[in-house]
Each structure stands twice: as structure tokens, then as C-alpha cells.
Amino acid sequence: MEEICFCDNKKLTLSTGMDEAGFGKTRLAVTLPSEFGLMADFSADAEKPDFIPFTFTGIYSDTNGYVNLYSELAGKIPDSESLQPLSTLLGIPGGTAEKSAMLAVKAITCALSSGQKLDPVGAGGILAGKNFVIFLPKKLFECCLNSREKKTQAELNGNYLFKGLSQENGLCFLRAVIAYKALARKFPFAEVNEEARQKDIIDSLFLPLEYAVNGIDENLSLCVNDGLSPKVNFTDESQKNFPLQVLQNELGLCKDGTYTAIFRKNAVSEGQFKKLSESYFNKKNSKTMLARFVQKNKIALTVIGSVFFILILSVNSFLSRLENLPTTRGLNSVETIGQFYKAIHTLDVELLQETGKGGDLKGVENVVSAMYVTNKTREGYSNERTVSPEKWFSIAPKESYRQMPLMYGLTDVLITEPGKRQISADLVKNAYSRKDKPAVVAEDDGLLPAEGDIKKYTVTYYRIFTYGEDAVVNIEKTEDYIMETFAKKRWLVTSVSSKVISAKEIPMQKIYNAYEKAFEENKGNFEKTRESLRTVYEWIP
């Protein structure tokens, strides 16, 4: 692996990889005095370093005509010749990688806890020795990398960073990558292409530490995995209290800093572990590819969904299909609304088309069609089921989290007619079919509706759906204003105006864990379990 920074003759040297003409175009010579790096000096205190800022003060051309920058900083470090780039040291197992990684992680952690300004740079821009860690000035280092191959840029810098993070959050990400690399002997995100690598980070497409190192400490794994998230936050508990002592133990380092080869107790056999790791990553990769495909082809999928339903209608004879279509005849206005929301709840486009007519309903139909196609694509592409919330909660006590399906549907659907009581919608009752030829029924007031009659209702409900690679459940409390019209001996929903009152996101695993705990506390009683959880999750069916 190429090294662009080294210590030579008591000088810290940074190779720009540019000749004098190229270097002159960068204007680095002008900004050199204002570009600060930072040295962490652990020589006086092994746990709390002194932070010493430095700059590169000189420029010279080497025998190949390339411009180099140098600093006198190395002259202040005993045995400075032993300082090497961390990117090189991490590739030398047996103590070297472990010691240098621990020193760098400790320096970053101390900088975060003390509020010391430190710009995150990749391991190629970090030099480590016995008691010293040097972080090069970020702008200078990255400018000098620009003249190198993309693979070199990735290995020395890009694989350690995620663009768009603040300085503190970027340091958490850098710390996590260094720890992961030292423990697992590989990068969590190893794509050379920067755009592809950034996408992988955004989608968390990596092998969590517990699947990369057999028997690794659970808390350390959680903290490292959290640090590798695109949403990492240095104020989170896992980052504020990063387990340095646990990391030291897992790296095989004693209290005095000496290295002893670690014999970690495996969680499972190596054969099983390899299968579990491959299975996890293959499933994660499939889900990610599916999500990217759906995101990229949203419009096309909606069109395909519409075409799909048209094709379904042509499977059987047209007349036979007409006879078996559902109808709202024989239902009063409230029951018709129940069928309308049942269609949305079950993603039944056919029922939706038979309970509502009019331009306003096209948007609802498109959303339902797109969701139906998305769920079927997930099922076919990555073998992921999607079930209603009530079905999900009936499965939860019997299945492990990794076997759980995703969730979609409506809960707590309440219908209110102005000036009248609130009624819970029936999402279970089946509509009549046309061949049943049901008679018109009276409304609650005992009167039969007349052609052209209009009724208006307010409907509130929770819309639940799962999205994202980490299975986040989105809960939208929604209020709809419904208008129904009586036409051709049946009620039809002819206008819908929706307003999202509130929306929140909860990781599906958090819901599962809460349900599992409540289920145990209520000794397996389903109803008591749900009632206890509704105090926190009011949308649970």
C-alpha cells in the first residue's frame, strides 16, 4: 500500500505527488501556514493525551521532481523514525495493528470528550508510534491524494469517512472504521468507487461486527455498528461512552499495553458462523438492491401495477368477472365506508374501485396499487412477507425477530357523521357480489336513500407501513373528509380529502422487543399484552 507521509531525518514529510507546476496551481503554498494538524502526545499520561497543533512549514522538491511538504514536528518526538501511517500498521497483525488502532481510537475518543477540534482524516493521514498519534491537516492531505489512483484514495482516506457528517459525528464514524478494521481485518465499506461507497453507507450495507468477528463482545459490537451508521450522533449513549476497555481486551492488549494473542470464545462453530454471516449479508444485499430498484422505478412500478390488474381482469370471461365483482348494494353508508377502508387495508384494488368513483379516488388507487406491487416485489425478490398489523402481533410471540414479516395496514378506523356518534369501521365484513342482487337498505334513521342523496363523514385512522433497510415502522395518524353519493341503488365514496395529523417512525425491532417483554409479563395473554402496550403505542390493533 502506498504511503504519502513519513518521518525522515527528524522531519515529518508529506508527498504531494505533484511537480512544481501542478503544485503551483493549487495555491497550497499560500494557505500552508493556516492548515493545522494535531498531535496527541500520550508520553506523560497513557489515558489522557496532550493535544499539540502543528503546521507544515517548508517545501522542497525530491529527486523525482515532486514537491514535498515538511514539518519540524517529528524532531520533537523521540524515536520519530518509528512513526508510520496507520493504514500501513493496520495491515500488520500480531500486535502492531492492535496497538496502533487502540492508540488512534483513544486519541479520537479523548478529542471528542474534551471538545478538542480535530478534523477526521483517513488512516493514510494518521501516523502512530509508541506514545504519539499524528493527524495530518485534512485539506492538505486530501489535496495530496487527488493525484493518486482511486484505489489508493479509497484505501488511505475514503473508506474511513462518510461525507456530510459534522466534525464530531465524522470522528465517531472514523473511530468505528478503525476499530472494525483492527478487529475484523477488513473494511466495513470497501467500495473503491466513492458514489457506490456512499450509497452503501446510506443503506447500511455492511456486515455488522457481530457477524464479522465470532464471539465479539455484544456492547462493543453495538457501539461500533452505531458509529458506522449514516445517522451517527456523537451525543448518543453508544458514542459518548465508547467502551475503550472492552476494545482493548478484544484486541488482546494488556493493561500495560503489551499484546497477547486473544483466544476468544466463539459464539458458534466457525462453520456455522460463516453460514450465518453469508446468509445475513445475502439477505441484506437483496433487500438493499430491491429498495434501490423500487426507489429508482417508482413511476414504472405504479404503471406496471395498473397493467397487472388490467391483465387480471382479462383472465376469466368478462361477464363472469362482472357477476362476481363486489358491490356496495345492500350496504348502508357507514358500511360502504367500512368496505372502502377495508380495500385500502388489504390492498384490494378491485374492491376499492367498486366502493369509490370519481377523480379524487385516482390518487388513492395509485397509492394502493404501488404498495401492492412493492410488497409483491419484496416477496418475490427477497422472500419478505408483508402482513397486516393485527396479523403481525399475532405472529410476534411465536417467531424470532429475524423471521418476522414487515407490516402494512390500517388500525383504529373510526367513522363520525356530523352531530352523531363515532362508529368503529368493520374491516372484516365481506361485501356482497353483484350476482347476489341485494336490496337497498335503510339508513339508521329508517329512511331509504334516494338517487343523488349525499352524506359527509369524518374518518380517523392510523396508517402503518414499514420501509427502509433497517425495517422502520411509519405510523401516520390521518383524518379523512369523506363524501358519499347514492347512485344506481348503492352508496359510493365520491370524494376524499386527507390530512396527516401526526407521523412518527419507530424501529420495528424496538416494537418487537417491547411486545416480547410485555407478552412475558402478561404470561402469554394476548389481550392483556396488547392493552398494556396501547398505553405507549396507541395505534396497536
PDB file of all heavy atoms in Angstrom, residues 327-342:
ATOM      1  N   THR A 327     -69.953  -5.395  -4.641  1.00  0.00           N
ATOM      2  CA  THR A 327     -70.822  -4.239  -4.808  1.00  0.00           C
ATOM      3  C   THR A 327     -71.193  -3.675  -3.448  1.00  0.00           C
ATOM      4  O   THR A 327     -71.212  -4.400  -2.447  1.00  0.00           O
ATOM      5  CB  THR A 327     -72.107  -4.609  -5.589  1.00  0.00           C
ATOM      6  OG1 THR A 327     -72.922  -3.437  -5.743  1.00  0.00           O
ATOM      7  CG2 THR A 327     -72.911  -5.666  -4.858  1.00  0.00           C
ATOM      8  N   THR A 328     -71.502  -2.398  -3.416  1.00  0.00           N
ATOM      9  CA  THR A 328     -71.938  -1.780  -2.154  1.00  0.00           C
ATOM     10  C   THR A 328     -73.469  -1.779  -2.044  1.00  0.00           C
ATOM     11  O   THR A 328     -74.009  -1.232  -1.081  1.00  0.00           O
ATOM     12  CB  THR A 328     -71.407  -0.336  -2.049  1.00  0.00           C
ATOM     13  OG1 THR A 328     -71.802   0.406  -3.212  1.00  0.00           O
ATOM     14  CG2 THR A 328     -69.896  -0.327  -1.934  1.00  0.00           C
ATOM     15  N   ARG A 329     -74.139  -2.385  -3.014  1.00  0.00           N
ATOM     16  CA  ARG A 329     -75.585  -2.556  -2.873  1.00  0.00           C
ATOM     17  C   ARG A 329     -75.847  -3.433  -1.642  1.00  0.00           C
ATOM     18  O   ARG A 329     -75.125  -4.373  -1.366  1.00  0.00           O
ATOM     19  CB  ARG A 329     -76.175  -3.243  -4.105  1.00  0.00           C
ATOM     20  CG  ARG A 329     -76.393  -2.313  -5.272  1.00  0.00           C
ATOM     21  CD  ARG A 329     -77.247  -2.976  -6.332  1.00  0.00           C
ATOM     22  NE  ARG A 329     -77.395  -2.148  -7.512  1.00  0.00           N
ATOM     23  CZ  ARG A 329     -78.201  -2.441  -8.531  1.00  0.00           C
ATOM     24  NH1 ARG A 329     -78.908  -3.558  -8.505  1.00  0.00           N
ATOM     25  NH2 ARG A 329     -78.284  -1.636  -9.573  1.00  0.00           N
ATOM     26  N   GLY A 330     -76.902  -3.118  -0.933  1.00  0.00           N
ATOM     27  CA  GLY A 330     -77.215  -3.887   0.260  1.00  0.00           C
ATOM     28  C   GLY A 330     -76.461  -3.389   1.488  1.00  0.00           C
ATOM     29  O   GLY A 330     -76.610  -3.952   2.576  1.00  0.00           O
ATOM     30  N   LEU A 331     -75.664  -2.335   1.330  1.00  0.00           N
ATOM     31  CA  LEU A 331     -74.928  -1.762   2.447  1.00  0.00           C
ATOM     32  C   LEU A 331     -75.420  -0.345   2.702  1.00  0.00           C
ATOM     33  O   LEU A 331     -75.725   0.398   1.751  1.00  0.00           O
ATOM     34  CB  LEU A 331     -73.431  -1.727   2.159  1.00  0.00           C
ATOM     35  CG  LEU A 331     -72.731  -3.047   1.808  1.00  0.00           C
ATOM     36  CD1 LEU A 331     -71.252  -2.783   1.522  1.00  0.00           C
ATOM     37  CD2 LEU A 331     -72.890  -4.062   2.930  1.00  0.00           C
ATOM     38  N   ASN A 332     -75.446   0.059   3.971  1.00  0.00           N
ATOM     39  CA  ASN A 332     -75.772   1.458   4.243  1.00  0.00           C
ATOM     40  C   ASN A 332     -74.509   2.303   4.069  1.00  0.00           C
ATOM     41  O   ASN A 332     -73.438   1.781   3.750  1.00  0.00           O
ATOM     42  CB  ASN A 332     -76.402   1.631   5.629  1.00  0.00           C
ATOM     43  CG  ASN A 332     -75.463   1.221   6.758  1.00  0.00           C
ATOM     44  OD1 ASN A 332     -74.248   1.323   6.637  1.00  0.00           O
ATOM     45  ND2 ASN A 332     -76.048   0.762   7.867  1.00  0.00           N
ATOM     46  N   SER A 333     -74.606   3.595   4.300  1.00  0.00           N
ATOM     47  CA  SER A 333     -73.487   4.497   4.008  1.00  0.00           C
ATOM     48  C   SER A 333     -72.269   4.212   4.887  1.00  0.00           C
ATOM     49  O   SER A 333     -71.125   4.271   4.420  1.00  0.00           O
ATOM     50  CB  SER A 333     -73.926   5.956   4.165  1.00  0.00           C
ATOM     51  OG  SER A 333     -74.413   6.188   5.480  1.00  0.00           O
ATOM     52  N   VAL A 334     -72.500   3.880   6.164  1.00  0.00           N
ATOM     53  CA  VAL A 334     -71.385   3.600   7.070  1.00  0.00           C
ATOM     54  C   VAL A 334     -70.692   2.296   6.670  1.00  0.00           C
ATOM     55  O   VAL A 334     -69.456   2.199   6.662  1.00  0.00           O
ATOM     56  CB  VAL A 334     -71.868   3.535   8.533  1.00  0.00           C
ATOM     57  CG1 VAL A 334     -70.761   3.001   9.447  1.00  0.00           C
ATOM     58  CG2 VAL A 334     -72.309   4.913   8.996  1.00  0.00           C
ATOM     59  N   GLU A 335     -71.460   1.283   6.326  1.00  0.00           N
ATOM     60  CA  GLU A 335     -70.886   0.003   5.909  1.00  0.00           C
ATOM     61  C   GLU A 335     -70.084   0.152   4.615  1.00  0.00           C
ATOM     62  O   GLU A 335     -69.068  -0.515   4.417  1.00  0.00           O
ATOM     63  CB  GLU A 335     -71.999  -1.033   5.734  1.00  0.00           C
ATOM     64  CG  GLU A 335     -72.654  -1.459   7.035  1.00  0.00           C
ATOM     65  CD  GLU A 335     -73.888  -2.319   6.817  1.00  0.00           C
ATOM     66  OE1 GLU A 335     -74.593  -2.109   5.798  1.00  0.00           O
ATOM     67  OE2 GLU A 335     -74.151  -3.192   7.665  1.00  0.00           O
ATOM     68  N   THR A 336     -70.539   1.033   3.739  1.00  0.00           N
ATOM     69  CA  THR A 336     -69.810   1.290   2.487  1.00  0.00           C
ATOM     70  C   THR A 336     -68.443   1.890   2.779  1.00  0.00           C
ATOM     71  O   THR A 336     -67.433   1.506   2.171  1.00  0.00           O
ATOM     72  CB  THR A 336     -70.619   2.232   1.583  1.00  0.00           C
ATOM     73  OG1 THR A 336     -71.850   1.592   1.230  1.00  0.00           O
ATOM     74  CG2 THR A 336     -69.839   2.570   0.316  1.00  0.00           C
ATOM     75  N   ILE A 337     -68.399   2.834   3.731  1.00  0.00           N
ATOM     76  CA  ILE A 337     -67.104   3.411   4.115  1.00  0.00           C
ATOM     77  C   ILE A 337     -66.205   2.329   4.694  1.00  0.00           C
ATOM     78  O   ILE A 337     -64.994   2.283   4.429  1.00  0.00           O
ATOM     79  CB  ILE A 337     -67.309   4.554   5.137  1.00  0.00           C
ATOM     80  CG1 ILE A 337     -67.974   5.743   4.454  1.00  0.00           C
ATOM     81  CG2 ILE A 337     -65.968   4.988   5.739  1.00  0.00           C
ATOM     82  CD1 ILE A 337     -68.312   6.883   5.382  1.00  0.00           C
ATOM     83  N   GLY A 338     -66.788   1.423   5.465  1.00  0.00           N
ATOM     84  CA  GLY A 338     -66.013   0.311   6.010  1.00  0.00           C
ATOM     85  C   GLY A 338     -65.368  -0.516   4.913  1.00  0.00           C
ATOM     86  O   GLY A 338     -64.196  -0.909   5.018  1.00  0.00           O
ATOM     87  N   GLN A 339     -66.104  -0.773   3.836  1.00  0.00           N
ATOM     88  CA  GLN A 339     -65.557  -1.543   2.714  1.00  0.00           C
ATOM     89  C   GLN A 339     -64.466  -0.762   1.976  1.00  0.00           C
ATOM     90  O   GLN A 339     -63.471  -1.338   1.513  1.00  0.00           O
ATOM     91  CB  GLN A 339     -66.677  -1.918   1.731  1.00  0.00           C
ATOM     92  CG  GLN A 339     -67.653  -2.941   2.263  1.00  0.00           C
ATOM     93  CD  GLN A 339     -66.978  -4.251   2.599  1.00  0.00           C
ATOM     94  OE1 GLN A 339     -66.295  -4.840   1.765  1.00  0.00           O
ATOM     95  NE2 GLN A 339     -67.157  -4.714   3.837  1.00  0.00           N
ATOM     96  N   PHE A 340     -64.649   0.552   1.890  1.00  0.00           N
ATOM     97  CA  PHE A 340     -63.653   1.399   1.237  1.00  0.00           C
ATOM     98  C   PHE A 340     -62.311   1.306   1.969  1.00  0.00           C
ATOM     99  O   PHE A 340     -61.249   1.116   1.361  1.00  0.00           O
ATOM    100  CB  PHE A 340     -64.163   2.845   1.210  1.00  0.00           C
ATOM    101  CG  PHE A 340     -63.205   3.839   0.603  1.00  0.00           C
ATOM    102  CD1 PHE A 340     -63.037   3.924  -0.767  1.00  0.00           C
ATOM    103  CD2 PHE A 340     -62.466   4.698   1.402  1.00  0.00           C
ATOM    104  CE1 PHE A 340     -62.159   4.837  -1.331  1.00  0.00           C
ATOM    105  CE2 PHE A 340     -61.591   5.611   0.859  1.00  0.00           C
ATOM    106  CZ  PHE A 340     -61.442   5.684  -0.522  1.00  0.00           C
ATOM    107  N   TYR A 341     -62.358   1.398   3.308  1.00  0.00           N
ATOM    108  CA  TYR A 341     -61.111   1.340   4.075  1.00  0.00           C
ATOM    109  C   TYR A 341     -60.596  -0.088   4.215  1.00  0.00           C
ATOM    110  O   TYR A 341     -59.391  -0.302   4.386  1.00  0.00           O
ATOM    111  CB  TYR A 341     -61.294   2.020   5.437  1.00  0.00           C
ATOM    112  CG  TYR A 341     -61.288   3.520   5.293  1.00  0.00           C
ATOM    113  CD1 TYR A 341     -62.477   4.235   5.205  1.00  0.00           C
ATOM    114  CD2 TYR A 341     -60.092   4.217   5.175  1.00  0.00           C
ATOM    115  CE1 TYR A 341     -62.477   5.610   5.026  1.00  0.00           C
ATOM    116  CE2 TYR A 341     -60.074   5.592   4.998  1.00  0.00           C
ATOM    117  CZ  TYR A 341     -61.273   6.289   4.916  1.00  0.00           C
ATOM    118  OH  TYR A 341     -61.258   7.638   4.725  1.00  0.00           O
ATOM    119  N   LYS A 342     -61.488  -1.057   4.113  1.00  0.00           N
ATOM    120  CA  LYS A 342     -61.030  -2.443   4.070  1.00  0.00           C
ATOM    121  C   LYS A 342     -60.181  -2.662   2.820  1.00  0.00           C
ATOM    122  O   LYS A 342     -59.157  -3.357   2.844  1.00  0.00           O
ATOM    123  CB  LYS A 342     -62.220  -3.408   4.065  1.00  0.00           C
ATOM    124  CG  LYS A 342     -61.803  -4.871   3.951  1.00  0.00           C
ATOM    125  CD  LYS A 342     -63.000  -5.793   3.831  1.00  0.00           C
ATOM    126  CE  LYS A 342     -62.540  -7.233   3.666  1.00  0.00           C
ATOM    127  NZ  LYS A 342     -63.683  -8.174   3.520  1.00  0.00           N
TER     128      LYS A 342
END
